[in-house]
Amino acid sequence: MKGITRFGVSLEEALLQRFDDHIHRRNYTNRSEAIRDLIREELVREEWRQNSEVTGAITLVYDHHQRGLVARLLDIQHHYHHIIFSSQHIHLDHDNCLEIIVAKGNAATVEELYGKLKAAKGVNHTSLAMATTGKITD
Ligand code: NI
């Protein structure tokens, strides 16, 4: 960590009590650590809102027997090959596949990719973990 600055925060007692309960449940050892994490999380959300360069992990669960689905998912991914860094395919059981796609690019493009994969008929679950390139949060 670079130079550290201390600053005071004023807030209502009840709100502070709720925050302390929250950080206790999350196993933080002190308020500063919890506040640092909140600030970083907000800065990452802001990167996505501002359409900055971001990273994200898209998770899909689907039944590969669904007609045309595997080809459709591959078509979409090839269309976005410039932002896809890696993809991992796990055969969960006889029918179900889990795929994790790691993307890096402008937030809007990553969300567009996510939206297309999510909309593919037969995909049973999708999630997008919105992450950062790490430049603003170190
Ligand atoms: Ni599979």
Side-chain angles (χ1 to χ4, degrees), residues 7-82:
F7 67 100
V9 177
S10 307
L11 71 164
E12 296 84 352
E13 215 168 283
L15 187 58
L16 180 60
Q17 186 57 56
R18 286 180 60 192
F19 185 63
D20 282 344
D21 292 345
H22 165 79
I23 67 178
H24 181 71
R25 283 193 301 272
R26 294 287 182 93
N27 294 316
Y28 282 106
T29 52
N30 61 60
R31 289 172 181 158
S32 292
E33 268 183 48
I35 289 170
R36 274 195 290 270
D37 275 359
L38 284 176
I39 291 171
R40 288 194 193 102
E41 281 166 22
E42 181 52 29
L43 290 175
V44 170
R45 277 195 289 271
E46 185 64 10
E47 281 187 325
W48 282 78
R49 281 193 293 265
Q50 299 285 326
N51 194 24
S52 305
E53 188 179 52
V54 297
T55 60
I58 297 168
T59 305
L60 311 171
V61 176
Y62 59 88
D63 181 339
H64 75 275
H65 294 115
Q66 174 81 28
R67 183 175 288 277
L69 178 59
V70 173
R72 172 80 185 124
L73 294 176
L74 281 177
D75 276 351
I76 295 167
Q77 291 183 59
H78 277 269
H79 190 72
Y80 289 88
H81 69 90
H82 55 289

Side-chain angles (χ1 to χ4, degrees), residues 89-91 97:
H89 185 115
I90 293 131
H91 310 302
C97 305

